[in-house]
Amino acid sequence: MLKSRQELKDLREKCRKAAKDEVRKILVCSGTGCVASGAQEVYDSFREILERLAIPVSLRFIEDGHGVGLKKSGCQALCEKGVLVRVEPEGYLYTKVKPSDCETIVTETIEQGRHVEGLAYKDHDGRVCKTTGEIPFFKKQTRLVLENCGNIDAESFLEYLSAGGYSSFEKALYDMNSQQVIQEIADSKLRGRGGGGFPTGYKWQQVYRQKLFPKYIVCNGDEGDPGAFMDCSIMEGDPHRMLEGMLIAGRAVGASAGYIYVRAEYPLAVRRLKKAIADLEKYGLAGENILGTDFSFKFKINRGAGAFVCGEGSALTASIEGKRGFPRVKPPRTVEHGLFDKPTVLNNVETFANVTVIIDKGADFYKKIGTESSPGTKAFSITGNIENTGLIEVPLGMTLKEVIFDVGGGMKGGKKFKAVQIGGPSGACLTEEHFDLPLDFDSLAKAGAMIGSGGLVVADEDTCMVELARFFMNFTQRESCGKCIPCREGTKRMLLILERVVSGNGRSSDIENLMDLAQTIKDTALCGLGKTAPSPVLSTIKNFRDEYMAHIVDKQCPARSCEKLKKFYIEPELCKGCVKCAKLCPASAISGKAKEAFSINPEICTRCGICVSGCKYAAIKEAW
Amino acid sequence: MENAIDLDFTRNVIDEFNGAPSAIIAMLQEIQEKYRYLPKEIFPVLSRTTGLSEARIYSLATFYENFSLEPKGRNIIKVCDGTACHVRKSLPILERLRAELRLPQGVVTTGDLEFTVEVVACLGACGLSPVLTLNGKAYPAMTPDKASNLLRSVKESEVPRDA
Amino acid sequence: MKGYMTIDDIPVEIHDERNMLELIRKAGIELPTFCYYTELSIHGACRMCLVENEKGGLEAACSEPPKPGHKIRTNTARLRKYRKNILELLLSNHNRDCTICNKNGECRLQSIANKFGIKNIRYINTSYTPEPDESSASISIDRSKCILCGDCIRVCNEIQNVGAIDFAFRGSHMKVATAFGVPMADSPCVGCGQCAAICPTGAISVKNSLEAVWTDLLDKTTEVTVQIAPAVRVGIGKHLGFEDGKNAMGLIVAALRRMGFAKVFDTTLGADLTVQEESREFLEYVSKPHDLPLFTSCCPAWINYVEKRHPDLFPHVSSCKSPMQMFGALVKEYYKDNGKRHVHVAIMPCTAKKYEAVRPQFAKDGKPVVDHVLSTQGLIHMIEQSGTRFDTLEPEAVDNPFGIVSGAGVIFGVTGGVTEAVLRALSEDASNAALLATSMAGERGMEGLKEFEVEHKGETVRVAVVSGLGNAGRLVDDIKSGKKSFDFVEVMACPGGCVCGASQPYAPPDVKEIRGKGLYSIDKLMSCKRSGDNPILEDLNEGILKGREHELLHVSYVSDGKHGA
């Protein structure tokens, strides 16, 4: 239990020194992705081999003395290439590591410092990249928030300290008063990373002014966007950075408790946060009279129970209060009457992680990154049909083109870029014409899109945009809380229309009705999620109206993706008239005279495909 | 029944949270972890001690997707249908699993209570899409065939249950 | 004044309006709403009250506080379009069998859709197939008409604290349901009917016994008598071209006679009997040591509430039957040797009376003493169906031998009325000054909870008057925990008392107050103010009731061991 600033400083110094002494480290990526790929087995294998070879190993930072540091790190970002292992001090990154590779890594790299080329990352042109610094994916990134993520043991409080941890909080607690902390955040122009981009400093100032106590800090870790996992990576990979940000917020506005609402699907994040909070309590950085001061702050974790809408602020606080996740009408605003009707700072995981950076490095430093109105960095998860899928952090204002081609490595399999869906089910799609669009809050808003939580899903020429719109509408419709009429009834109608369109039953009035419904929902829905639910439809109609028309008028899917619009036909030149297909067809859709070319009646055909595999002459073709 | 509903367990859970109505979701989560669903028998106890009406608790249990009022299978498979998994064809995997387990429309749990197959919005492992989890463990880059194999391996490794 | 707002170019002064909607309505503009009620929490879900500000932004008038200098418009092209779209969406998910609906003509959805001229619905109807829940004796539930405004849920939870229903599931699968969807009769529902009163559509409606009454009434071999509860006379209201709060008793009597009721009586006599019995019981109760107060028993929803929530309180609930049941027992006794089949109807402002009437505790020879309970709204329909033009009638008096009633009995229909009637009975001083003093003891007014003390023979009597089951529930908790202590507690389940009963035509709180005042005006005009001064009581005590008070006027809800409604 640390009882003073000096004790904290001393411990940090001890950790720093220990980290310096710990020259050799094996960092086994233990993010959700790599765990799924077998990170635990790789870790166990390293441990077993090191012990077998009698190489001193340090599993617990400091406590195990000076051996090879074997660590479970946070997400190392190239999830698809997992299990990722990095060996320090060389910085060699090994990809797709299996337990059977561990012995080679130990004998080659650990014992002799040699690089194992077979496990190295190879770029687009097959060039071997030994370290992350050589990989194009990392070159254009600026890792501020994710600085520690992947570089330290995600479960070690002491290692976080060794990396300068809790010095921001220390500063905020001893060297600054509330107003100064808030001013620093305001000066940094930090904007909430959860979607809306609301100025964080302004929000804090409002809560600070409230006379009602207790006040609460709430961290939104309910990352519901299906295709985003930045917050997950921070909670799993560097939980202390976020907790430190919450402590700073608590200190700034005079709050005494912090609630962390974590999505149900993130059990690893919950486990790591619990461990981190237990460590904070153990070391006296959480609880009563922190570091012997009069500042007290308790952490609580609430696990989500499966409702996307709880990512909306008032629904989230309702859920913590043990209620249905219904958003409520505002005013009163969360800053005045938030959790348990008390003044509440509600920010998301990434925002709190940024706070720690700003207090540490100062608003002036922070503002140099990113753009004038959107300073700092933003973490994105890029997924879909792109070469490098994974977690990235880039300065705000980077153009779409840079993100997709320089960081993301371009399209997978050399396919043609079609669009990128940004902001998930609340977001919009951007196309080639937006390549030079800077990704920041205001530019995106102008383009009718939003950063949202930061999910980037890249679609290539084979992706049907109508189907993508249907997918998102299906999601929002399923996740609609049902409280307000426009969202509950309107999204249901939009989905029914979209389902009809992708199955070839679209009507000429469908686009018009979709637009009418979309506009109504956008303007009248109760909460932010409802208001943005029609965005994917509006933006795909705007950018890909032709595709909608093709589905509705021609009953065709230009991307050759919509299963129900697939047609089978028999190439007359290739058909020998063997009758086999007609016999196989369970729907009796194929007819013709023996020894002459057969044909398929599209009205009857159920598109089961049995005839295709049955035809010896490959005469049956698919068309859209 | 495998588990007779032990109301003492529920009472202990309630005590753990001091019967606070705001902790009702956490209580339900713990109870569901034990029984793999929310038995009807626990509702009156919860209602009496928290002061929340049974209708309110039922309201919560049906609002949040993770709660189930029906017993779930011993093995729970969650197929991710987040955006990344969806564009990389997660639905055929789901269809295969449902077909292999002969689950009729609208049913997610097998009659013998061995398997429950659910769809989840995103597991946060988009880089490895399509993903599914089996009893909490994630399996990356799945295909329908891999899913079939997984199912088979679970069935084969099944140790006979104690009497 | 706190500045002014400009609404549709009209400057409107801001006073203490809680939100823009109140201010807009003050300006004489009727915004359509489905989920706003001054007495309930703000839900903000129907989105019909959106208004447009100067910047083109839309604001929900129900939740925005009035802001000085703010300019809004309530009827723009956009707002019109959105309101119509919202109505269309609602209607596309609504069972539109309007002509055969219980609320036909009284449905807010119907009237607003009509106002907005919704003629064409672009989407197929996806409403549920009707699956009415008729298990409750008091209310009917038809989910195919539900628009999920949540008004019923908020009344049931916030005002009545019954918690029988809540939202279940979510999104487009959301519905209003009991726990596990059990039938209403098996839920904690007490039949107060407040949900039905507030429901803007036909999703929840008061059970209707019109046809059964007509059948008996038109059967020549049956003699049908009727009793009319006090609150009915001031609540029959606008539907019949009559002002709320004005005494329509004489006209109701006349109308009922025309319809063919053999005898028309006033439940108020039952109230007088209740006062006689209850004051006697009270004096006995307070003469013994008691931790808990004596609770009144007139309100059947309260009895249901005690039965389902606090059965341990029954020993402290007055053993008096309700006025309706006392009167019913009396009438049945009176007509028992009449030779003709006799049917007794009670016209009540109350939905819970429907269940009270069929309670086994009140059965005589296995049959209820009150055969049909007709709601005030049902009475209005009957009058309309009979073709009688209410405005052409001449007032008539009720029939003998139960023709005289007291003012004390009339005020039974408003919160505090039972208490005042009992206090009048307890007071030995019958002077006007004493009556006035009694009326100012603290029992009058529409507040949900009134606590006061009175002197009786040198002893202090601690009294609480509570209306609304939410208030009652909290009071019971305070009494049980020892936080509060009383000798006498009057409970009425409906906020404001029977005048605000769910079987009355729906009225906002200010109209409910007018109805309550109407009963006090009637009392003022009565020469017989105290129940004990009613000469009929003496006749009854010496006659029909002699030696049978216990059988005819008292009841035990626990003796037969049945607790479920």
Side-chain angles (χ1 to χ4, degrees), chain B residues 38-41 43 51 53-66 69, chain C residues 153 157 162-171 175 177-182 188 309:
Chain B
L38 299 174
K40 207 170 174 175
E41 294 84 340
F43 279 65
S53 70
E54 286 188 50
R56 173 62 48 89
I57 302 169
Y58 179 72
S59 174
L60 295 169
T62 54
F63 181 88
Y64 293 100
E65 214 165 15
N66 295 156
L69 295 168
Chain C
I153 293 170
N157 287 277
V162 169
I165 46 172
D166 210 319
F167 284 120
F169 303 95
R170 72 177 186 212
K175 55 183 175 182
T178 56
F180 294 94
V182 297
R309 280 281 185 92

Side-chain angles (χ1 to χ4, degrees), chain C residues 262-291:
Chain C
K263 297 279 180 191
V264 184
F265 302 122
D266 189 343
T267 310
T268 307
L269 183 74
D272 284 335
L273 283 167
T274 306
V275 174
Q276 169 187 295
E277 296 301 305
E278 196 154 359
S279 38
R280 197 180 295 157
E281 184 184 5
F282 173 70
L283 288 176
E284 202 186 313
Y285 188 87
V286 288
S287 69
K288 293 180 200 151
H290 56 280
D291 295 333

